[in-house]
């Protein structure tokens, strides 16, 4: 993503916070904003997603985004289809290894199914959705845009109660239809993640304690105004949530995007901001592991989390 394009996109975060002049895309607070400094463009890194199933054409194949969706607000520009594709491919690689069969999945040690390129959570009916149930939100988002979802999908919750039940159903026509649907609509799934992140931006500042608000605003500006920074913000929000709840997490300590921005050292736009964001993300995730119940054995996930967070250090678009 060129610096000019990133600057335009970063202005989206200011919607609902304050007016933003055409020459300044910084997010503002009562304490002011970090000024923008120019950033150079880095080599592009792309991921070519393989489709081993060689998906046959279906009535879902036309449901990729073929035209821009309505603006998120304030006349701010949307990400281009190329940007959505590259970010979406990387998120798919992060969550499911780019493997089409992992679009309908259940991770070991979890009590919910994971759907789509972002492994959106889908809890069985009646089960406490501790980490939120984002797959039903995605389906509603798609339907609001005229997408026909598979008719058999239940609305009250996932139809499987365990990973074992899902694996037994993996090759049924229904699950194969769902898998195909999720492959064909992957660009719309990326747009869902992007829009969710945009909506979170004003809330991140509002939910910050007064004394930390300038720090959060400055770090958010630094990442958003760095080429590649929007991928980091988008992916981490999809990965671990916004972190808006002060009572969530373990021992009252959450691990979402807000906690990463609070943990970051003060930064200015540029490559160093991406490194500071990644370093802070790992400190937050390591704190989560320390706070987690020992029986969860969450330390086994740290290596994979570190590999994912390290993708934030380089330019994708």
């Amino acid at each position: 993503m060129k610096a000019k394009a990133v600057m335009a996109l970063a202005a989206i975060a200011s919607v609902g916070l304050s007016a933003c002049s055409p020459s300044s895309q910084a997010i503002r607070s009562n304490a002011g904003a970090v000024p923008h400094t120019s950033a150079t463009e880095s080599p592009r890194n792309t991921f070519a997603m393989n489709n081993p199933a060689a998906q046959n054409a279906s009535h879902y194949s036309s449901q990729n985004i073929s035209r821009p969706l309505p603006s998120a607000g304030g006349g701010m520009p949307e990400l281009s289809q190329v940007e959505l594709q590259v970010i979406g491919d990387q998120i798919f690689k992060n969550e499911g290894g780019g493997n089409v069969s992992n679009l309908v999945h259940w991770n070991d040690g979890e009590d919910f199914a994971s759907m789509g390129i972002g492994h959106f959570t889908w809890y069985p009916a009646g089960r406490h959705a501790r980490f939120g149930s984002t797959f039903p939100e995605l389906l509603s988002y798609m339907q609001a845009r005229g997408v026909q979802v598979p008719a058999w999908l239940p609305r009250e919750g996932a139809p499987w109660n365990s990973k074992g039940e899902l694996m037994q159903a993996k090759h049924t026509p229904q699950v194969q239809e769902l898998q195909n649907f999720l492959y064909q609509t992957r660009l719309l799934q990326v747009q869902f993640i992007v829009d969710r992140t945009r909506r979170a931006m004003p809330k991140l500042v509002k939910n910050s304690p007064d004394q930390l608000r300038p720090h959060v605003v400055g770090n958010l500006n630094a990442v958003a105004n760095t080429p590649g920074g929007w991928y980091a913000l988008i992916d981490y929000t999809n990965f671990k949530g916004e972190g808006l709840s002060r009572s969530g997490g373990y021992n009252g300590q959450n691990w979402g995007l807000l906690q990463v921005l609070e943990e970051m050292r003060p930064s200015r736009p540029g490559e160093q901001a991406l490194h500071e964001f990644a370093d802070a993300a790992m400190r937050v995730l390591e704190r989560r592991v320390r706070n987690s119940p020992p029986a969860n054995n969450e330390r086994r996930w740290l290596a994979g989390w570190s590999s994912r967070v390290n993708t934030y250090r380089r330019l994708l678009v």
Side-chain angles (χ1 to χ4, degrees):
M1 185 187 301
K2 296 180 180 178
K4 182 178 179 181
V6 174
M7 282 293 295
L9 290 168
I12 295 167
S14 67
V15 175
L17 294 175
S18 68
C20 206
S21 69
S23 62
S24 174
Q25 307 293 356
I27 303 156
R28 302 178 188 275
S29 73
N30 294 333
V34 174
H36 170 73
T37 56
S38 61
T40 57
E41 185 173 356
S42 300
R44 179 175 173 181
N45 177 36
T46 60
F47 165 64
M49 182 168 58
N50 183 32
N51 177 12
Q55 300 287 345
N56 294 325
S58 75
H59 64 287
Y60 298 124
S61 62
S62 64
Q63 294 180 351
N64 282 330
I65 298 172
S66 58
R67 62 186 183 279
L69 291 174
S71 172
M76 292 297 109
E78 297 288 338
L79 290 167
S80 71
Q81 287 198 22
V82 172
E83 291 165 332
L84 286 172
Q85 181 73 58
V86 174
I87 292 173
D89 286 354
Q90 183 64 49
I91 290 174
F92 187 12
K93 183 180 180 182
N94 292 344
E95 291 284 5
N99 187 336
V100 175
S101 69
N102 288 333
L103 291 171
V104 179
H105 191 65
W106 194 302
N107 289 318
D108 290 335
E110 294 181 337
D111 58 353
F112 52 84
S114 298
M115 301 286 108
I117 66 167
H119 272 192
F120 307 105
T121 54
W122 197 15
Y123 284 81
R127 187 169 298 175
H128 174 59
R130 179 176 185 183
F131 300 124
S133 197
T134 53
F135 185 59
E137 294 177 26
L138 172 66
L139 294 178
S140 296
Y141 180 92
M142 289 181 168
Q143 289 179 309
R145 284 152 181 77
V147 174
Q148 179 184 354
V149 304
W152 67 268
L153 284 176
R155 291 295 179 268
E156 63 274 12
W160 320 283
N161 289 305
S162 66
K163 178 176 182 176
E165 287 187 14
L166 173 56
M167 295 310 295
Q168 287 182 345
K170 192 74 170 173
H171 299 292
T172 61
Q174 288 180 325
V175 172
Q176 290 295 302
E177 179 191 17
L178 177 57
Q179 186 173 286
N180 184 48
F181 168 75
L182 292 171
Y183 181 78
Q184 300 294 350
T185 58
R186 58 198 183 280
L187 281 183
L188 193 51
Q189 295 171 55
V190 184
Q191 188 70 58
F192 170 75
I193 297 170
V194 170
D195 288 350
R196 178 187 177 192
T197 306
R198 284 176 171 146
R199 289 194 304 271
M201 292 303 174
K203 298 175 185 177
L204 292 171
V205 178
K206 183 179 179 181
N207 283 41
S208 301
D210 290 344
Q211 68 274 18
L212 286 179
R213 190 166 295 178
H215 179 79
V216 169
V217 168
N219 285 337
L220 184 53
N221 276 325
V223 178
N225 285 300
T226 299
W230 267 90
Y231 158 67
L233 297 172
I234 290 165
D235 184 73
Y236 195 88
T237 301
N238 180 66
F239 177 34
K240 292 302 178 190
E242 298 95 337
L244 300 176
S245 173
R246 292 290 173 182
S247 60
Y250 298 134
N251 295 335
Q253 290 185 303
N254 215 329
W255 49 74
L257 178 61
L258 178 56
Q259 286 70 49
V260 175
L261 294 170
E262 290 176 347
E263 176 68 24
M264 275 182 70
R265 297 182 179 91
S267 300
R268 297 174 66 87
E271 184 179 359
Q272 189 59 34
L274 300 183
H275 289 296
E276 292 291 353
F277 182 86
D279 290 343
M282 282 313 303
R283 291 195 296 272
V284 166
L285 293 172
E286 287 165 354
R287 183 179 68 197
R288 165 183 164 154
V289 170
R290 290 195 301 271
N291 287 337
S292 65
N296 289 6
N297 189 26
E298 293 197 6
R299 185 163 298 279
R300 70 187 188 277
W301 294 329
L302 273 177
W305 291 348
S306 178
S307 295
R308 179 174 189 153
V309 166
N310 281 334
T311 67
Y312 303 160
R313 302 178 188 275
R314 64 180 187 273
L315 178 65
L316 284 180
V317 181

